[in-house]
C-alpha cells in the first residue's frame, strides 16, 4: 500500500493492508476496536502474509476476554497467520510491511490510511518493529481455536449439539459472560441440556479441548440449575456414582431455537 487511503471504516483500511502484504505485516499499537476489526478481516480474507500484532496488554486482554474473538485469534494462530505480542507504546496505530508504513487516523465518520513513500524511513521502521517483535513477550492466548472446538464437539457429542453450539454463538454479539453475552461454558451447558447430554461428557469435552476445567463446568452447572435454566436427572452406571443427565429447566428454553436460546437464557439470568 503506497498511496494514502480515505475509507468509511477502519476495517476497509485494514483489509487493504492485509490484501497488499506479501510476506509479513506488523500491526502496531491498535486500539480494542482496531484489533477487533482486524480479527474479523483476517477471518474473512485469503491471507498470504504473516501478521504480528504489537499491542498493549490491556488491549489484548480486553479483546480476548470475548470467546468469539479469542477463538478466532486462536484459529489464525494455529494456521500460522497471526501472532500476538505485548507491547507498551505511545506510537500511533501503524501498519508496517517491508514496502510500506501506514498510519491509521480516524476523523469523524471517515478513516485515513496515511502512507509514506520514503524508502529509507520504511526500511528503518520495518527493522524497528521486526526487532520489537523479536524482543516482545508473546501474549498467552489459552483459548482453543474455533475450528478445533467445533470439530471436537461434533466428534465427541454429535452433529446436533455442535450445530446448536454454533447457533447460540452466532446469535451473540459477544461471548464474555459479563452481562453482554453468555460465556463459552454457559453456552456449552445450555446446548448440552437442549440435547440431554451427560454432564460428565460435556465437561470432559470442555476440559480436553481447553475451554475450562471440569470444576468450572460443575460450578456453572450449579449456577444455571439454581437459576432454573437447567435440570438434572441421575443416570445409573455399572460402577460408581450415577452420572447426571442435563435437561432444560425452563419451558421458554425448551421452545426456543438455538439462535433464540441465548436471549432467553440472558433474560432469565438477569432476573435471577
Amino acid at each position: 500500500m503506497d498511496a494514502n487511503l480515505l475509507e468509511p471504516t477502519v476495517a476497509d483500511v485494514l483489509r487493504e493492508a492485509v490484501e497488499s502484504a506479501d510476506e509479513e505485516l506488523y500491526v502496531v499499537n491498535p486500539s480494542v476496536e482496531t484489533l477487533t476489526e482486524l480479527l474479523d478481516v483476517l477471518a474473512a480474507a485469503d491471507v498470504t502474509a504473516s501478521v504480528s500484532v504489537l499491542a498493549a496488554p490491556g488491549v489484548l486482554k480486553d479483546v480476548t476476554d470475548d470467546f468469539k474473538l479469542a477463538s478466532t485469534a486462536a484459529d489464525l494462530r494455529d494456521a500460522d497467520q497471526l501472532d500476538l505480542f505485548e507491547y507498551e507504546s505511545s506510537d500511533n496505530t501503524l501498519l508496517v510491511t517491508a514496502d510500506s508504513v501506514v498510519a491509521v487516523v480516524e476523523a469523524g465518520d471517515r478513516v485515513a490510511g496515511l502512507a509514506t513513500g520514503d524508502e529509507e524511513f520504511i526500511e528503518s521502521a520495518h527493522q524497528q518493529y521486526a526487532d520489537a517483535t523479536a524482543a516482545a513477550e508473546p501474549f498467552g492466548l489459552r483459548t482453543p481455536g474455533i475450528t478445533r472446538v467445533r470439530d471436537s464437539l461434533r466428534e465427541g457429542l454429535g452433529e446436533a449439539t455442535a450445530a446448536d453450539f454454533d447457533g447460540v454463538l452466532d446469535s451473540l454479539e459477544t461471548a464474555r459472560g459479563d452481562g453482554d453475552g453468555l460465556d463459552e461454558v454457559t453456552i456449552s451447558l445450555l446446548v448440552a441440556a437442549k440435547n440431554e447430554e451427560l454432564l460428565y461428557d460435556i465437561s470432559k469435552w470442555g476440559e480436553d479441548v481447553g475451554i475450562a476445567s471440569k470444576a468450572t463446568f460443575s460450578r456453572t452447572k450449579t449456577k444455571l440449575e439454581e437459576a432454573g435454566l437447567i435440570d438434572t436427572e441421575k443416570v445409573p452406571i455399572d460402577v460408581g456414582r450415577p452420572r447426571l443427565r442435563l435437561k432444560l429447566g425452563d419451558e421458554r428454553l425448551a421452545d426456543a431455537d438455538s439462535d433464540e436460546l441465548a436471549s432467553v437464557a440472558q433474560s432469565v439470568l438477569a432476573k435471577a
Side-chain angles (χ1 to χ4, degrees):
M1 203 161 59
D2 55 7
N4 291 337
L5 295 173
L6 189 61
E7 300 287 356
T9 68
V10 171
D12 294 313
V13 174
L14 294 171
R15 190 175 298 108
E16 179 72 21
V18 168
E19 292 175 352
S20 300
D22 292 326
E23 295 183 2
E24 58 191 6
L25 170 66
Y26 298 106
V27 180
V28 182
N29 203 28
S31 64
V32 168
E33 293 76 15
T34 299
L35 181 52
T36 298
E37 294 283 8
L38 176 67
L39 293 176
D40 288 341
V41 167
L42 292 175
D46 184 13
V47 182
T48 58
S50 172
V51 179
S52 295
V53 174
L54 292 156
V59 169
L60 293 169
K61 184 178 185 308
D62 191 297
V63 171
T64 57
D65 276 349
D66 181 347
F67 175 75
K68 294 185 70 166
L69 296 174
S71 60
T72 296
D75 240 17
L76 294 163
R77 174 203 60 196
D78 294 345
D80 295 325
Q81 294 175 337
L82 177 70
D83 289 299
L84 302 176
F85 296 93
E86 297 182 5
Y87 181 72
E88 292 282 9
S89 172
S90 58
D91 296 345
N92 294 321
T93 299
L94 301 175
L95 309 174
V96 181
T97 72
D99 303 312
S100 67
V101 175
V102 176
V104 180
V105 180
E106 297 185 55
D109 59 353
R110 303 299 295 274
V111 180
L114 304 179
T116 177
D118 188 305
E119 293 184 2
E120 185 176 346
F121 179 83
I122 292 171
E123 182 179 353
S124 175
H126 181 263
Q127 187 61 54
Q128 174 185 342
Y129 292 113
D131 292 344
T133 299
E137 184 75 21
F139 179 70
L141 181 60
R142 294 183 292 274
T143 305
I146 190 61
T147 298
R148 182 181 166 210
V149 169
R150 287 170 173 152
D151 289 348
S152 63
L153 188 56
R154 187 175 295 109
E155 181 180 341
L157 284 95
E159 185 67 42
T161 301
D164 284 336
F165 183 92
D166 276 345
V168 174
L169 198 61
D170 289 345
S171 73
L172 293 167
E173 289 189 12
T174 66
R176 296 179 180 270
D178 59 358
D180 291 330
L182 305 177
D183 67 21
E184 56 270 34
V185 177
T186 300
I187 294 169
S188 301
L189 288 167
L190 285 173
V191 300
K194 184 175 187 293
N195 291 276
E196 299 192 356
E197 306 283 2
L198 296 179
L199 174 62
Y200 175 85
D201 291 340
I202 192 69
S203 59
K204 183 178 187 304
W205 163 78
E207 186 168 75
D208 289 347
V209 79
I211 283 181
S213 67
K214 289 179 182 178
T216 299
F217 271 84
S218 181
R219 287 193 299 269
T220 306
K221 183 273 297 182
T222 299
K223 174 186 172 184
L224 297 178
E225 201 169 15
E226 290 174 348
L229 286 171
I230 63 174
D231 285 331
T232 57
E233 64 178 21
K234 293 182 179 179
V235 178
I237 57 175
D238 292 338
V239 179
R241 293 185 300 172
R243 290 183 175 164
L244 297 176
R245 186 176 304 282
L246 300 171
K247 304 179 75 171
L248 293 174
D250 190 298
E251 63 181 17
R252 289 170 293 177
L253 292 174
D255 295 334
D257 294 331
S258 60
D259 60 352
E260 300 170 329
L261 204 61
S263 61
V264 176
Q266 285 177 283
S267 176
V268 174
L269 286 171
K271 297 174 182 177

